[in-house]
Amino acid sequence: KAGVTQTPRYLIKTRGQQVTLSCSPISGHRSVSWYQQTPGQGLQFLFEYFSETQRNKGNFPGRFSGRQFSNSRSEMNVSTLELGDSALYLCASSLKLAGHSEQYFGPGTRLTVT
Amino acid sequence: DQQVKQNSPSLSVQEGRISILNCDYTNSMFDYFLWYKKYPAEGPTFLISISSIKDKNEDGRFTVFLNKSAKHLSLHIVPSQPGDSAVYFCAARMGGSEKLVFGKGTKLTVNP
C-alpha cells in the first residue's frame, strides 16, 4: 500500500507570495492533519480534516488555511508569505477509527521563503 | 507552555546495549501516546504507541512504558543497532482529536 505523498517536495517563494501544498493520504484513510516543523518551535499542529470538515485548528494566523476533498486528498495554503514561514510542512493521515489509530506521515514539503 | 517534554536532547549508546528515551507530559487529559523516529528532511516514522489504559506495550525490539501517576513514559530499544540512530519524538493526543502534541525530540546515536 502506498504511503502518504506530498507535493511538491521543495519550494522556494518570495515574501508576500502565496503557496499551495498538496497531500494524498494512504488509501482508505479519511483523516488528514498538517504540521509545521521549524528548528525553533519543533513540530507544531496546524489543522485536522475529516470528511471534508476542519475538526481542529492550531495556533496559527489566518494566513494559513486548508481544505479536504471528497477523495480525502488535502491542500494547505499560506498567503502573504513571511520569512518565518520557512519550514518543513508535514502531512499525516489516519483511519480515525472509533478507538485510537496511528498517524502516518508523508515526507514533507520543504518551503523556503526569501 | 510545553505540554510534552523530552529533557534529553541527545543520547549515545553502544551497539547491542539498551537505549532508554524518556518523555514527560503535563496534561492529564492526554490518553494516547506515540513514538516516532525521524531522519533529517524526512517525515516522522511511526514506531509504537500506548493507550492510557495500559502501562506497557511491546513490538519487537521496542517497548513503551507508561507511568500515569508520574505523567512519564519511556521507550526502550533492545538491542540497539546503528540503524536506530535518528531523532526520536514523543507525541501525545487526547480523546477524539487527531492533534498530536510533540516533544522537542531526542537525538539517539548508536555507536558500532
Side-chain angles (χ1 to χ4, degrees), chain A residues 73-114:
Chain A
R73 192 177 68 84
S74 177
E75 289 181 349
M76 67 163 281
N77 185 75
V78 188
S79 61
T80 320
L81 284 165
E82 300 177 0
L83 294 178
D85 297 333
S86 294
L88 181 66
Y89 289 88
L90 294 158
C91 168
S93 76
S94 72
L95 281 170
K96 197 175 174 75
L97 302 172
H100 289 294
S101 55
E102 295 78 28
Q103 291 187 43
Y104 297 89
F105 283 82
T109 294
R110 168 70 63 185
L111 172 65
T112 302
V113 182
T114 61

Side-chain angles (χ1 to χ4, degrees), chain A residues 17-97:
Chain A
Q17 288 186 313
Q18 74 166 17
V19 66
T20 299
L21 312 181
S22 181
C23 171
S24 292
I26 292 171
S27 178
H29 286 194
R30 296 171 62 195
S31 174
V32 173
S33 300
W34 288 88
Y35 294 81
Q36 180 197 64
Q37 184 184 26
T38 58
Q41 298 299 316
L43 281 150
Q44 303 269 301
F45 171 80
L46 281 158
F47 7 73
E48 172 198 348
Y49 287 89
F50 182 78
S51 293
E52 302 177 65
T53 302
Q54 187 179 94
R55 300 297 172 119
N56 210 338
K57 190 177 193 304
N59 189 24
F60 280 82
R63 300 184 296 106
F64 290 81
S65 63
R67 59 178 175 168
Q68 187 180 32
F69 302 95
S70 59
N71 61 359
S72 295
R73 192 177 68 84
S74 177
E75 289 181 349
M76 67 163 281
N77 185 75
V78 188
S79 61
T80 320
L81 284 165
E82 300 177 0
L83 294 178
D85 297 333
S86 294
L88 181 66
Y89 289 88
L90 294 158
C91 168
S93 76
S94 72
L95 281 170
K96 197 175 174 75
L97 302 172

